[in-house]
Amino acid sequence: MNGVANDPKIAEALSELQQYLSDAIAPLVVADSISILLAVPPEVVADEIRNWTTSQHRRLGASVPISDYLYHAIRKLYVMGEFRLVSKEAMAAYLEVLKNYLLAFCPAEDRDLLRENLGHLADARSDLEAPIATLHRAAKDQGAPVASQTTATSKTVVDAGRQFAQLVERLARLQIPGGPGESPSAAREDVFSQLVSVAARNSGTSEEFERAKDSLQAFGMGSTMENVFRSLGRRLPGWVVQEQPESEAPSAPVTATARAMERIVTLEQDPREAARRFQELVQAAIEQCNEGSLARAVTMLDLASLLLNEKKVDPVYIRGFREQAHGKLDEQRLRQYAEDATSHALLRRVLVFFPALGPAGLLDALRVEEKRERRHLLLALLEVHGTPARVQAAERLSASISTFGDRDAHYQRNLLYVLRRIPHPEGSVSDAEVQMAIRLSAVGRPVILLKEAVAYLGQVKDERTERALINRVGEYEAALLKPGSLGTENAELLPVLDRIVFALARLGTPAAIRTVVNHGLKRHPQLGDTAARLAPLAGTDLSGDPETINRLVQAIEAELPHRVFGFLLKKDWSFLLRLIEVVSSSTKAQPVRNALADMVQRFPGEEFAQAAAKLLAGAELPPAPPLQEPPQSASLSGDLELFGLPTLLQNLSQSTASGILTITDPIGEEVATVVLENGKFRDCRSGQLTGEVALFQLIERPTPASFSFVRRSGAPEGAGSEPSRDLVPLFFEGTRRYDEFQQACMLVPDYACLRATATKPTRAPDEDDVALTRMVWQRAYSGAPALECEKDLPVDSYRVRRMLAHWIEEGALEPR
């Protein structure tokens, strides 16, 4: 007998049996050890139970009789067969022999009672799955066992243990049907995720969690940490609720799944192993990002940042990983996110986690990147960062001018591009920044840099840029009229001059327009097609500047044809037609009207005279009637699945928008409406549900849908009588309900049909509506699927499904 007990495997199994009897580990974790013990003589197990009983009795004293400990031990073993964690038949046969050894150990005065109670094992409710603290005692006045608490275990932990055992049972059998199109493997994956989540949140040590995780291999589930984080990541909601400004540190995880991920990392005491788990968490987040689930990736990376900020992971072991991990992000997916402005807030939270994708890292990469397409991606990601990227780009541009001058014109060009694309946070740029652009626009700089500098100056509309651009026109004209003076071909400088003149035309100031007109009237071939550069003025009313009007009228008259011996000399009218086009919006000026009328009278039938006649006819038309207000159209629309309802509403809230958000299904039918007033929640309607309950329902059951938001001033029509409320607290309550709803769905899927047992049902925690409870029980009792139990009730799915899960856990209901 000693040889059997000295076997290392058996010794370890006996040790785990003691932990299981003390409720230190869950049934699933000890399943392998119990299977081993079923092959050893029952007297070996009986000796171990006697040792455990003696130890417990010494600790607690005579308040708990020995017979209660013995009954508790037998019940704990019995339930392993009931849960099908070991062979039910083998366990029953083993217990028949084991009972005799334990009865012999039981004090004589309690032996008959223990024997009677052991005969009623199958009649008792199986709540032994509750971890820690539930001692199943043999009642002295009746045959059924009762439970007494030996430690102050919280109800939460007990419920978690029950849920874990119920999920184990469902995973083992999976006899509850899934919904239409739901594959068995997907259902198993969902249950596995929930099991891992429960195990992680309720494991006391890393070893305990590892045992629970490894035991799932018996059900064909992968148990590597990569699989664990990947599976949990898919269970996260497809949105992110942002409670505080983005510049602040990430907040604590909101959902139970995220808390489970955090627990998996922090349970590990070995810093190297904790770092490995951290890396698997980040890798799973990268996969979610690459698959298009940006919100889930953000949740996981925010959690990783929180672990770093709280020093739960040693940075020494992950520094190299963080510097390289960004390379696994799909660049095409990043481009898609960067091109969608509505994704920028979430994408920014992904980028800041990776040092190489922060503003400094991107700017470093931009300087050395040779591939054009890759540079475009880097620039797009810098735009996503916004102001922080702009500040650093300005600093680097200043440093580049003073250190390496034109030796890296491409880099300077890209820095200017960043400054031009990202608006200055205060609305107006500094004088130093404008001076840098002016300096880089001077003749003689590389053409690629000149184009970007001019584009930047054209965007900054003030006196500084006006003077600079006017001066540049003269400088470029002089350079072009002296070919070869700068060693630059005219063909390279002409596109730059095009941009300068166009920028002045966009400025629209009198001095800028005069410069454009004066330049456009110059007929020097070296300057290119100057007349074409007048085109931007065609839609500008110049009648307020008599000097410019007179200059154009004189040019028009100079272009009119002459008659020789009564014949009209034909020539190219393109320049004259271009001048007529320039004054097309200035027919209020009398000199323009006179010049056009003179053309019509003197040259009837000519192409330019016909153009003038059309302008005069249009000028004499009566004023057009005021336009009626166009019908309201959607100011924002898109795919709700890509946004996530909370994320979308939060963006609208931050812009203090008022209006109605309409949600439609794939065939165009209206599903729900959400009313906002100045960025606050006013009302919601979804089916028969209204108010915040309807909003919770939309969060709990996200479905493929599209949305459109129509802005309305003031309080939108159709708003309820309730006052406006902040959205963030509603989001957090909705997220809590979503989380608990998903957990309940693991036990009670949509199409699960249930039946009542002999156990009397009790009311679910925090559920005070007796009438609702009775109605849901009647539907479940009649065998209606879980989804039917929710139909046409004035509550969200969370409340109904929570009741059904509660009755399953307490044994009042069971799957058919």
Side-chain angles (χ1 to χ4, degrees):
M1 194 72 65
N2 289 337
V4 173
N6 290 334
D7 184 300
K9 288 186 178 180
I10 295 176
E12 182 179 358
L14 291 171
S15 175
E16 287 201 356
L17 173 62
Q18 286 230 15
Q19 297 179 61
Y20 175 54
L21 296 180
S22 299
D23 295 330
I25 54 179
L28 183 64
V29 178
V30 79
D32 291 341
S33 294
I34 299 298
S35 297
I36 292 173
L37 294 179
L38 288 177
V40 305
E43 55 265 33
V44 174
V45 176
D47 285 340
E48 195 67 29
I49 292 175
R50 280 197 294 267
N51 293 336
W52 174 80
T53 300
T54 301
S55 172
Q56 295 294 321
H57 194 261
R58 286 198 193 108
R59 266 195 327 161
L60 296 175
S63 61
V64 181
I66 288 176
S67 60
D68 284 352
Y69 289 111
L70 298 177
Y71 178 82
H72 173 86
I74 292 292
R75 281 283 291 138
K76 293 284 280 185
L77 291 173
Y78 173 81
V79 83
M80 297 295 293
E82 286 296 296
F83 286 161
R84 299 288 182 179
L85 298 176
V86 298
S87 169
K88 184 175 181 179
E89 294 73 17
M91 176 59 74
Y94 195 84
L95 290 180
E96 283 300 318
V97 181
L98 184 63
K99 288 177 187 178
N100 296 327
Y101 288 100
L102 297 183
L103 283 168
F105 177 68
C106 180
E109 61 271 20
D110 293 331
R111 193 172 296 157
D112 289 340
L113 179 61
L114 176 59
R115 182 182 291 107
E116 181 181 353
N117 282 306
L118 290 177
H120 293 281
L121 280 174
D123 300 336
R125 182 172 144 256
S126 298
D127 55 353
L128 287 165
E129 59 274 21
I132 314 173
T134 303
L135 175 64
H136 297 271
R137 304 176 59 187
K140 297 187 177 182
D141 56 348
Q142 55 185 353
V146 297
S148 66
Q149 291 297 109
T150 60
T151 63
T153 305
S154 69
K155 183 179 183 300
T156 302
V157 175
V158 173
D159 288 345
R162 290 176 181 167
Q163 187 181 63
F164 189 84
Q166 295 281 354
L167 288 167
V168 168
E169 185 177 8
R170 185 186 166 211
L171 182 62
R173 296 183 295 167
L174 266 183
Q175 62 183 8
I176 301 175
E182 183 182 6
S183 66
S185 60
R188 292 175 67 83
E189 181 72 14
D190 284 342
V191 179
F192 169 72
S193 301
Q194 184 63 24
L195 276 166
V196 171
S197 178
V198 173
R201 297 197 308 272
N202 295 280
S203 294
T205 65
S206 177
E207 292 76 13
E208 185 177 334
F209 170 70
E210 285 290 342
R211 284 196 295 269
K213 176 175 66 69
D214 292 342
S215 65
L216 296 177
Q217 288 181 320
F219 301 99
M221 308 306 298
S223 64
T224 65
M225 200 59 67
E226 180 181 4
N227 287 336
V228 167
F229 283 118
R230 183 184 292 121
S231 181
L232 290 175
R234 295 192 185 104
R235 281 186 42 77
L236 291 169
W239 65 82
V240 176
V241 177
Q242 185 178 316
E243 184 180 19
Q244 51 192 0
E246 294 172 2
S247 59
E248 298 183 12
S251 57
V254 175
T255 67
T257 302
R259 291 195 298 273
M261 292 182 174
E262 179 187 31
R263 185 74 173 152
I264 290 172
V265 178
T266 56
L267 275 173
E268 183 54 57
Q269 298 301 310
D270 182 350
R272 293 180 183 272
E273 178 61 22
R276 187 183 70 81
R277 294 186 180 186
F278 177 90
Q279 293 175 19
E280 296 292 354
L281 168 64
V282 173
Q283 178 59 37
I286 291 174
E287 290 181 8
Q288 288 296 319
C289 183
N290 291 344
E291 292 172 7
S293 299
L294 185 58
R296 294 188 178 98
V298 167
T299 299
M300 299 168 78
L301 292 178
D302 278 357
L303 173 58
S305 297
L306 180 68
L307 293 170
L308 289 175
N309 294 342
E310 295 183 350
K311 297 181 171 46
K312 299 291 182 63
V313 180
D314 191 335
V316 172
Y317 295 107
I318 60 168
R319 184 175 296 116
F321 169 77
R322 285 192 72 195
E323 291 173 352
Q324 301 295 327
H326 69 280
K328 297 181 180 180
L329 288 165
D330 184 273
E331 291 191 357
Q332 183 58 36
R333 184 68 73 177
L334 290 179
R335 285 191 186 91
Q336 293 174 1
Y337 291 143
E339 291 170 0
D340 180 6
T342 59
S343 298
H344 284 188
L346 292 181
L347 179 58
R348 189 157 49 244
R349 291 165 68 173
V350 171
L351 299 179
V352 296
F353 178 81
F354 303 98
L357 299 184
L362 291 171
L363 289 169
D364 288 340
L366 187 62
R367 183 172 183 182
V368 299
E369 183 57 55
E370 297 181 357
K371 295 181 179 179
R372 185 169 180 266
E373 191 158 334
R374 169 74 177 167
R375 286 199 304 271
H376 287 174
L377 174 60
L378 297 175
L379 290 168
L381 296 181
L382 283 166
E383 282 191 62
V384 172
H385 280 292
T387 299
R390 194 184 197 286
V391 171
Q392 293 196 34
E395 293 173 353
R396 295 195 181 210
L397 182 61
S398 177
S400 73
I401 292 176
S402 60
T403 56
F404 53 84
D406 296 338
R407 286 179 293 171
D408 200 347
H410 281 83
Y411 186 50
Q412 292 175 334
R413 177 263 173 193
N414 288 329
L415 294 175
L416 272 172
Y417 176 87
V418 173
L419 297 180
R420 179 168 65 86
R421 292 288 298 178
I422 303 176
H424 193 280
E426 297 177 359
S428 61
V429 297
S430 66
D431 187 66
E433 189 176 299
V434 173
Q435 290 302 321
M436 285 191 293
I438 292 173
R439 179 176 176 179
L440 296 175
S441 69
V443 178
R445 301 275 183 179
V447 173
I448 189 173
L449 183 57
L450 291 173
K451 291 180 179 179
E452 194 60 51
V454 170
Y456 172 90
L457 293 173
Q459 186 172 285
V460 181
K461 297 182 179 182
D462 59 22
E463 294 180 0
R464 298 169 296 177
T465 57
E466 180 191 60
R467 291 194 303 270
L469 291 172
I470 290 173
N471 291 336
R472 290 290 180 256
V473 171
E475 293 170 3
Y476 276 80
E477 287 177 348
L480 288 166
L481 292 173
K482 295 181 180 179
S485 61
L486 297 174
T488 304
E489 297 293 334
N490 284 14
E492 295 182 5
L493 290 181
L494 287 175
V496 182
L497 185 56
D498 287 339
R499 294 194 178 203
I500 295 174
V501 176
F502 179 75
L504 284 170
R506 286 187 61 191
L507 282 176
T509 63
I513 290 175
R514 289 170 196 161
T515 302
V516 173
V517 170
N518 290 334
H519 172 78
L521 296 180
K522 293 178 181 178
R523 309 295 297 275
H524 300 290
Q526 299 95 320
L527 299 181
D529 189 356
T530 56
R533 299 185 185 119
L534 292 171
L537 298 180
T540 305
D541 184 0
L542 307 176
S543 57
D545 185 0
E547 180 181 339
T548 300
I549 289 294
N550 291 333
R551 184 82 172 87
L552 288 169
V553 169
Q554 291 173 7
I556 289 173
E557 291 175 347
E559 284 297 308
L560 292 176
H562 299 283
R563 293 182 182 273
V564 177
F565 301 113
F567 294 98
L568 189 67
L569 298 178
K570 295 287 186 179
K571 68 174 187 177
D572 182 8
W573 308 127
S574 59
F575 186 56
L576 178 57
L577 289 170
R578 183 62 56 83
L579 292 176
I580 294 172
E581 182 182 2
V582 170
V583 299
S584 61
S585 297
S586 307
T587 53
K588 294 179 182 179
Q590 194 62 42
V592 172
R593 293 176 62 79
N594 293 340
L596 295 176
D598 182 61
M599 272 188 276
V600 172
Q601 182 179 2
R602 292 173 57 194
F603 307 102
E606 295 295 333
E607 181 182 1
F608 60 86
Q610 292 175 358
K614 290 180 180 179
L615 286 180
L616 288 172
E620 293 175 353
L621 291 175
L627 294 176
Q628 296 184 355
E629 185 177 352
Q632 291 189 331
S633 59
S635 57
L636 180 65
S637 61
D639 186 347
L640 189 63
E641 195 171 11
L642 296 177
F643 285 80
L645 180 63
T647 303
L648 173 63
L649 288 176
Q650 198 163 15
N651 289 338
L652 293 172
S653 175
Q654 291 171 352
S655 63
T656 64
S658 294
I660 298 179
L661 179 71
T662 302
I663 300 171
T664 55
D665 62 19
I667 63 173
E669 296 291 332
E670 182 178 300
V671 174
T673 58
V674 183
V675 181
L676 299 181
E677 183 178 7
N678 298 323
K680 294 187 176 183
F681 176 81
R682 184 66 184 272
D683 194 18
C684 179
R685 296 183 182 275
S686 177
Q688 296 183 4
L689 302 180
T690 61
E692 63 181 29
V693 174
L695 179 64
F696 294 153
Q697 179 73 4
L698 294 175
I699 294 175
E700 292 160 20
R701 283 192 172 277
T703 58
S706 58
F707 71 88
S708 61
F709 180 72
V710 177
R711 294 182 182 272
R712 302 276 180 88
S713 58
E717 296 179 4
S721 59
E722 295 293 326
S724 300
R725 284 162 287 172
D726 288 335
L727 277 163
V728 170
L730 295 176
F731 290 156
F732 276 95
E733 173 61 18
T735 301
R736 182 189 70 80
R737 293 185 179 217
Y738 167 87
D739 196 40
E740 294 189 17
F741 175 68
Q742 295 298 317
Q743 295 178 53
C745 285
M746 293 300 100
L747 287 177
V748 194
D750 284 349
Y751 295 91
C753 295
L754 308 173
R755 63 186 174 194
T757 67
T759 302
K760 184 179 180 180
T762 63
R763 198 163 56 195
D766 302 323
E767 182 55 69
D768 299 326
D769 192 330
V770 177
L772 176 66
T773 301
R774 184 178 296 112
M775 185 179 299
V776 174
W777 171 258
Q778 289 173 350
R779 292 185 178 187
Y781 183 85
S782 67
L787 196 60
E788 286 294 318
C789 292
E790 302 172 5
K791 189 175 180 181
D792 299 329
L793 293 178
V795 295
D796 53 322
S797 297
Y798 151 78
R799 288 179 62 183
V800 176
R801 198 61 59 96
R802 186 184 59 164
M803 293 184 203
L804 298 177
H806 169 73
W807 291 326
I808 283 279
E809 289 172 351
E810 71 177 6
L813 291 175
E814 63 181 10
R816 283 184 178 271

